[in-house]
Amino acid sequence: MMQTEASYVSDGESTEAEQQMDCWVTDLVIFFMIHFLKLGFELDLYHPTEYASLFWYLDYLHGVQKQTKTNVYKRFQEYTEEEFRLTGKKISPPFPMDILYIETTGTLYRALFRMIFALHCTFPQRNLPYSPFSTSLLPCANDENRFYSRFGHFHKLQQPQPLYYQQFKETSDTTELSVEEVILGTVDCFKSAKNLAEKMMQNVKNWSPFGIPVQTHNPNRTLSLYSTSLVTSIIKVCVTNLLQLQMIENQKNKKVPLDQIKAPALSFDINKDFASLKLQ
């Protein structure tokens, strides 16, 4: 409904104000889309075979959200420069912690998507609970129907552009990659997410939605939207998954038969939004 109302405002040639409104509405819509999908993890609504497609779609949404947020901050930067030119009053734009958080979580979801396929390729003879395309685990529904039952609601929206099952299949095709290349790509993503989270940790205590640090009576807490415990849990998810993947690689290097290597399970114990590997 919001997008429809915004389209009425933006009919014809769009002015600067109309572009800003369209950007704001799209940013708000994406926020609710991401929250909608994340709630399913918290409420345990998803079958493990759906995790790969969910992580994939969340990676896409965070990418679009980052672009939208960047446009918002860019316009705010232009406004502060114009304000300084006209009045001589300098306004310091807030540190774009939102963008850093979006980039961090988007990179982590991309790593989780790749991790599932890395394990799927590492144990090709096993029917892992979270292996994608395991229709035998849900004989009443095929993969494509299950995909659209989760994401079909998004096809009713004007923005962002919806994704289709065929796109997921094409992105998931690892036939031209070796198992080692798939694992290496996964490891690189986790390292990137960890580095971004550590950068967040350096700024999280001094950031607030008001643009300047606002301390509370407790020196360990601020009015920041991002707590140190949240960022710490993200780092812990990255480190845990990196260690588990390294343990599997160490056993493979020792020539341990694949059927004797225990495939780790997925757990949301560290953070309710991000999966971590756990030895069974």
Side-chain angles (χ1 to χ4, degrees), residues 143-186:
D143 294 310
E144 187 169 3
N145 289 341
R146 198 159 70 245
F147 180 91
Y148 288 115
S149 72
R150 291 302 179 204
F151 310 114
H153 307 288
F154 298 159
H155 288 242
K156 301 176 184 179
L157 301 173
Q158 297 177 16
Q159 292 291 336
Q161 290 294 320
L163 298 181
Y164 295 86
Y165 178 73
Q166 187 58 36
Q167 293 172 286
F168 174 64
K169 289 277 288 184
E170 292 172 356
T171 309
S172 308
D173 186 8
T174 58
T175 53
E176 296 184 2
L177 299 174
S178 65
V179 177
E180 288 71 23
E181 288 174 324
V182 176
I183 294 176
L184 182 60
T186 304

Side-chain angles (χ1 to χ4, degrees), residues 1-135:
M1 185 175 69
M2 291 177 61
Q3 287 185 328
T4 302
E5 294 294 330
S7 66
Y8 292 150
V9 175
S10 302
D11 282 344
E13 289 189 25
S14 61
T15 64
E16 178 69 18
E18 290 166 353
Q19 291 176 7
Q20 291 182 23
M21 180 176 181
D22 183 63
C23 190
W24 175 78
V25 171
T26 302
D27 180 57
L28 197 59
V29 168
I30 295 173
F31 169 81
F32 285 118
M33 292 171 71
I34 292 174
H35 190 59
F36 174 78
L37 293 180
K38 283 184 174 181
L39 275 177
F41 293 116
E42 188 174 351
L43 299 174
D44 198 21
L45 298 179
Y46 303 133
H47 192 278
T49 57
E50 298 179 276
Y51 289 164
S53 61
L54 288 159
F55 296 150
W56 174 75
Y57 215 113
L58 282 164
D59 173 28
Y60 163 70
L61 290 177
H62 279 82
V64 179
Q65 189 182 36
K66 179 188 174 184
Q67 183 179 4
T68 305
K69 285 284 188 186
T70 301
N71 291 336
V72 171
Y73 276 99
K74 181 180 178 181
R75 286 191 167 90
F76 184 77
Q77 181 72 43
E78 293 172 352
Y79 163 76
T80 57
E81 292 174 356
E82 181 67 15
E83 187 73 10
F84 178 72
R85 187 180 67 81
L86 295 175
T87 65
K89 181 181 178 182
K90 188 171 184 179
I91 304 175
S92 299
F95 179 81
M97 182 69 80
D98 290 346
I99 296 177
L100 185 56
Y101 176 73
I102 292 166
E103 186 176 4
T104 302
T105 52
T107 304
L108 182 50
Y109 278 123
R110 189 179 316 124
L112 293 173
F113 164 69
R114 294 184 178 185
M115 180 182 73
I116 288 180
F117 278 94
L119 295 171
H120 179 70
C121 296
T122 301
F123 303 101
Q125 304 303 321
R126 308 249 193 115
N127 193 6
L128 301 176
Y130 44 80
S131 288
F133 314 122
S134 298
T135 52

Side-chain angles (χ1 to χ4, degrees), residues 210-238:
F210 303 102
I212 58 175
V214 181
Q215 293 292 337
T216 64
H217 66 279
N218 186 337
N220 295 321
R221 302 188 60 166
T222 68
L223 294 180
S224 172
L225 299 176
Y226 310 106
S227 64
T228 54
S229 59
L230 169 64
V231 183
T232 300
S233 68
I234 291 175
I235 295 174
K236 191 173 180 181
V237 167
C238 295

